[in-house]
Amino acid sequence: MNTLPLSPLSALRRDRSPQAPAVPRLPLELGPPTIALAPGDVLSRAGAAGVLLRVQAGRVWLTEAGDAEDHFLDAGDCHRVRGTGQVVAEALGPEVAVLVWQVR
């Protein structure tokens, strides 16, 4: 007979198998200015006017409020956020996109 006390959460689990470690959900903050996006993940930011967005890895689609153009950025490309600073970025392609936000 098992005499170890069960926690309330483990008592509710049916399979009693060891729980897999939690996998971080992307977008993932890699450090103060760096973010990783899995393919298809979307990031929305406000207040980014004047910030330089640099794509360190992967490919990104970027749009910003007040700008009718869509911007497609590859690794090594940069884009200065203008206007109100409201931007939306989506990781394109099969790999994780790594974005670095640089303040002037």
Side-chain angles (χ1 to χ4, degrees), residues 18-103:
Q19 189 172 0
V23 176
R25 180 77 181 121
L26 296 174
L28 177 64
E29 297 278 344
L30 298 177
T34 306
I35 296 172
L37 293 172
D41 276 359
V42 176
L43 171 72
S44 179
R45 284 265 167 108
V51 169
L52 180 69
L53 171 68
R54 182 170 49 88
V55 179
Q56 192 171 23
R59 182 171 170 77
V60 173
W61 164 79
L62 178 85
T63 188
E64 57 180 293
D67 184 355
E69 278 188 61
D70 287 342
H71 303 275
F72 295 90
L73 307 171
D74 292 306
D77 291 344
C78 295
H79 177 82
R80 178 77 62 189
V81 179
R82 299 176 300 273
T84 64
Q86 176 70 37
V87 296
V88 176
E90 179 180 2
L92 301 175
E95 62 187 37
V96 170
V98 178
L99 311 175
V100 179
W101 300 82
Q102 298 174 335
V103 180

